[in-house]
Amino acid sequence: MVVDKMFHKTLLTVILFYGMTVMCHAQVKISDLFREMPDSLLPVLSENNRLDMIDFMASGMKAEITNRLGGSSEMTMLTDDSLRVKASDGLTMTLLLVTPLDSIESGNKVICCVQTYGTDESMLQSVTSFYTTQWNQINQMPPLNDDDTQRIRALDMQTILNWEHDILKKD
């Protein structure tokens, strides 16, 4: 009888621990991933800069900081699964947390990073890359569900629309 109680307590503890681990893993937020992002992916921002931006956004304040180069950088959007940072006049980074159709490396989420370069709206260039939630680069775009594919296409489309708007505005 004593062994039964001990077994049940141990089993209950293991189940609770496993459940909490699964729930914590499933609730990954883009702000947590941005906080852990290697400096090499956005060298103009230090870890403290990234933490300040997240805190400012959470407080409802303008998330503008002085970056490592002495210029201004601003986080312009933050949700649970996406964020946008205008790192400088010539670089905007958008991060999207997407779900691949097949599990990748260590989880069921992938980070889509879209870096848009340029100061002239008619000459913007975007580079899209993918990472695991541990910031290991994925060499090719993983198969994604339709919603996530549309989110990524919308970023590309925004670049095209900005270009067309700028060209049409000049005529």
Side-chain angles (χ1 to χ4, degrees), residues 35-128:
R35 180 181 298 118
E36 298 164 5
M37 182 176 75
D39 288 349
S40 61
L41 293 178
L42 193 57
V44 71
L45 296 180
S46 68
E47 181 180 1
N48 285 336
N49 292 151
R50 295 190 308 269
L51 292 171
D52 286 344
M53 288 176 151
I54 293 166
D55 289 344
F56 292 156
M57 288 295 280
S59 300
M61 300 168 54
K62 185 174 183 177
E64 187 172 12
I65 54 92
T66 301
N67 61 40
R68 285 180 169 165
L69 300 177
S72 178
S73 295
E74 181 181 4
M75 182 179 287
T76 57
M77 186 253 307
L78 176 64
T79 66
D80 285 347
D81 65 353
S82 62
L83 68 79
R84 181 172 298 119
V85 173
K86 184 177 181 196
S88 67
D89 288 337
L91 172 62
T92 300
M93 176 184 270
T94 304
L95 299 179
L96 302 173
L97 193 57
V98 296
T99 306
L101 295 176
D102 299 321
S103 221
I104 303 284
E105 210 172 284
S106 60
N108 62 348
K109 295 290 183 179
V110 168
I111 304 162
C112 173
C113 176
V114 180
Q115 294 176 310
T116 304
Y117 299 93
T119 56
D120 182 352
E121 291 289 324
S122 65
M123 302 295 283
L124 295 177
Q125 176 70 39
S126 291
V127 176
T128 302

Side-chain angles (χ1 to χ4, degrees), residues 14-34:
V14 168
I15 290 171
L16 287 174
F17 179 74
Y18 177 75
M20 288 175 25
T21 303
V22 168
M23 285 179 59
C24 289
H25 183 67
Q27 295 179 359
V28 66
K29 292 183 179 181
I30 200 72
S31 58
D32 297 330
L33 298 169
F34 182 64

